Amino acid sequence: MGKLNYVVEDVDRVTWSEFWKNIDNANLIQSWQYGDAKSVAEGWVPIRLVIKDRDGSPVALAQVLVKKIGFLFKAARLNRGPLLMAEGFSHSGDRVGRSLAALQALKIESKRRKWVYFSVAP
């Protein structure tokens, strides 16, 4: 598999819901409603992202929860994600490679957004 150049973009609820239908192994922790609940209960800010390939096709979804620590720092966590699109939706083939490339894209995005601490539990 060659180098994958994925981009990460914010996504709104309507688009998230459409993409969610094409997720192979969805889980509660990555659901829109879970992010809303964490926001109300614990003050985490959910950031909903779509990871796209260089052609603009969606590859995965990720909900990252972000919380301010002090005045300057933000901690972010990604639990049980990113969620890959179903086989045949946008890609076929190496799921592990796509997962790793999506995580790499999120790592780069974490630096761009200046998240000082970024925890991932795939």
Side-chain angles (χ1 to χ4, degrees):
M1 179 172 90
K3 182 179 177 182
L4 296 175
N5 296 316
Y6 288 171
V7 296
V8 178
E9 299 175 358
D10 289 289
V11 65
D12 62 23
R13 186 175 190 146
V14 172
T15 306
W16 179 276
S17 295
E18 284 303 310
F19 289 154
W20 186 263
K21 296 174 189 174
N22 298 302
I23 296 296
D24 253 350
N25 296 310
N27 63 70
L28 175 65
I29 294 172
Q30 283 290 301
S31 71
W32 191 279
Q33 295 81 0
Y34 183 85
D36 287 349
K38 290 296 278 186
S39 178
V40 171
E42 298 176 11
W44 290 93
V45 176
I47 308 293
R48 283 79 175 214
L49 304 166
V50 61
I51 297 108
K52 295 181 177 180
D53 66 12
R54 67 181 129 223
D55 297 324
S57 297
V59 175
L61 289 177
Q63 176 170 248
V64 179
L65 300 175
V66 178
K67 188 180 257 190
K68 272 190 163 182
I69 299 174
F71 292 107
L72 302 174
F73 303 107
K74 290 182 184 176
R77 66 183 197 190
L78 171 65
N79 291 323
R80 308 251 349 245
L83 302 175
L84 293 179
M85 296 291 171
E87 291 294 327
F89 177 71
S90 61
H91 298 280
S92 60
D94 182 13
R95 292 183 61 79
V96 172
R98 287 189 293 133
S99 291
L100 292 174
L103 285 169
Q104 180 64 29
L106 289 168
K107 178 182 173 186
I108 292 166
E109 185 69 13
S110 75
K111 291 177 183 178
R112 188 184 74 73
R113 292 181 186 242
K114 298 181 177 145
W115 297 333
V116 173
Y117 178 76
F118 184 39
S119 169
V120 177

